[in-house]
Amino acid sequence: MDKEKTLLDFWEDQVKKSHTSSNYFFRKSPSHYHLMLLVMHAYKINEKLSVEELKTRLFKTSRPKAALIINEACIKGFFF
């Protein structure tokens, strides 16, 4: 339950921020949103995802485009 509360707190803090928030970033496109859902689901079930797995799981997104989205999320500090 603590894990879910922590994730919810993070999400609520991000929603309150401006266009630099994760909320804004992950709503840019369906691929961005799908990436967020994949990561949140993995976090909830305590699954470790690699970049390669994320690239493979992103629905209808080329691997180079997926890599760009993931890299941008890392640069912005949403992923590590």
Side-chain angles (χ1 to χ4, degrees), residues 2-74:
D2 287 337
K3 199 180 227 187
E4 290 174 16
K5 179 69 174 146
T6 303
L7 187 57
L8 181 60
D9 288 340
F10 171 76
W11 186 252
E12 288 174 349
D13 287 343
Q14 291 296 314
V15 169
K16 293 175 188 171
K17 292 182 181 178
S18 68
H19 67 280
T20 59
S21 72
S22 63
N23 184 42
Y24 180 80
F25 176 79
F26 290 110
R27 289 185 179 189
K28 281 184 176 181
S29 73
S31 296
H32 285 76
Y33 192 73
H34 186 215
L35 177 65
M36 176 196 65
L37 293 176
L38 288 169
V39 171
M40 290 177 79
H41 176 73
Y43 180 82
K44 183 177 180 187
I45 64 171
N46 203 25
E47 175 188 8
K48 295 195 183 240
L49 286 174
S50 69
V51 171
E52 292 303 315
E53 287 174 304
L54 281 173
K55 287 186 210 175
T56 302
R57 291 184 187 183
L58 274 173
F59 183 68
K60 293 190 177 186
T61 305
S62 69
R63 292 178 69 77
K65 169 121 175 133
L68 288 173
I69 295 170
I70 294 165
N71 284 338
E72 187 179 0
C74 291

